[in-house]
Amino acid sequence: WHMVSKLLLATAEVMVSATETGCDEGLLNALMERFDDIREGLGVYKTPARYGAFPVDPYSHTTGFSGVQQPGMTGQVKEDIITRFIELGVRVRHGKISFAPFLLNGSEFIAGERTWQRVVGGTQQSEKLTGGSLAFSLCGAPVIYRLADSCSIRIETGSFETLVIPGNELDSAWSQSLFRREKRVRRIVVDLPATSLR
């Protein structure tokens, strides 16, 4: 399964490159279909009965007559996390973070209000999410995508100030602050047009 994850990541990287170079839309759609086919081959997208095991259960190459060996899921998990960040549209170019989720499916956004529970540095935290949103964390900071008419980023700082940035890219200073986990960023809200999603 690790090789399937490697292929999925490589396909995602080709798709990012294709969008950046302005490839033909038909080719990009064909690549998206292949991406979906490959992803469906991964265990996390299958039932335990079809997969033959628990899909996310780490397995080991350890034989019965020797000590513990390397778990088989470690590399696969790494590739799957990188691929997921590509799906979420998180890009780092020239030290700046941008959000361009062209691979993200609009059906992943929640329909109604929910509470997102997460643990940061051993502390339980929660965020209220409204319908039409999706959340994840980046360098310890919550990032909330919201469906909107235009693209913008709202940074809520640790000192409870709010900064609104038009477009989908953070400047170098805010990006570096996130990378260093300085906790200057309390929350990032990214407004995205539904047309930017799949």
Side-chain angles (χ1 to χ4, degrees):
W1 303 113
H2 189 178
M3 297 323 260
V4 178
S5 287
K6 284 179 179 276
L7 179 60
L8 186 68
L9 175 56
T11 305
E13 289 172 340
V14 166
M15 291 170 63
V16 168
S17 177
T19 60
E20 289 174 350
T21 57
C23 83
D24 175 69
E25 190 174 329
L27 174 60
L28 186 59
N29 289 336
L31 284 168
M32 283 188 185
E33 287 178 21
R34 297 297 77 76
F35 179 84
D36 291 341
D37 289 343
I38 296 164
R39 186 176 52 197
E40 287 175 15
L42 290 171
V44 295
Y45 296 95
K46 296 180 179 184
T47 64
R50 186 160 177 236
Y51 186 66
F54 290 102
V56 293
D57 191 29
Y59 63 91
S60 175
H61 298 298
T62 304
T63 57
F65 56 83
S66 68
V68 175
Q69 308 272 320
Q70 177 183 356
M73 288 284 286
T74 55
Q76 181 179 1
V77 169
K78 177 187 66 177
E79 270 98 28
D80 289 346
I81 289 170
I82 295 168
T83 301
R84 184 58 179 160
F85 272 104
I86 291 173
E87 283 182 291
L88 290 167
V90 177
R91 307 275 184 280
V92 178
R93 287 267 152 122
H94 309 293
K96 298 177 185 177
I97 299 170
S98 65
F99 304 96
F102 74 93
L103 265 175
L104 191 60
N105 197 316
S107 64
E108 292 192 54
F109 286 69
I110 61 172
E113 189 175 289
R114 285 196 194 159
T115 300
W116 175 33
Q117 301 284 341
R118 63 190 202 292
V119 176
V120 179
T123 305
Q124 180 92 14
Q125 297 182 3
S126 64
E127 293 278 338
K128 289 279 186 193
L129 301 177
T130 60
S133 63
L134 177 146
F136 60 96
S137 62
L138 177 63
C139 300
V143 177
I144 300 169
Y145 281 176
R146 297 185 313 187
L147 297 177
D149 293 331
S150 61
C151 195
S152 68
I153 300 172
R154 190 174 84 217
I155 298 174
E156 297 176 11
T157 70
S159 56
F160 295 94
E161 296 173 321
T162 300
L163 172 68
V164 177
I165 303 166
N168 69 342
E169 185 177 72
L170 296 175
D171 66 19
S172 295
W174 284 112
S175 297
Q176 294 304 313
S177 181
L178 271 174
F179 296 147
R180 290 188 205 109
R181 297 177 180 255
E182 295 174 339
K183 298 184 181 178
R184 289 179 56 214
V185 177
R186 188 173 57 84
R187 184 165 84 148
I188 299 172
V189 178
V190 181
D191 286 342
L192 298 165
T195 54
S196 66
L197 308 172
R198 293 173 66 181

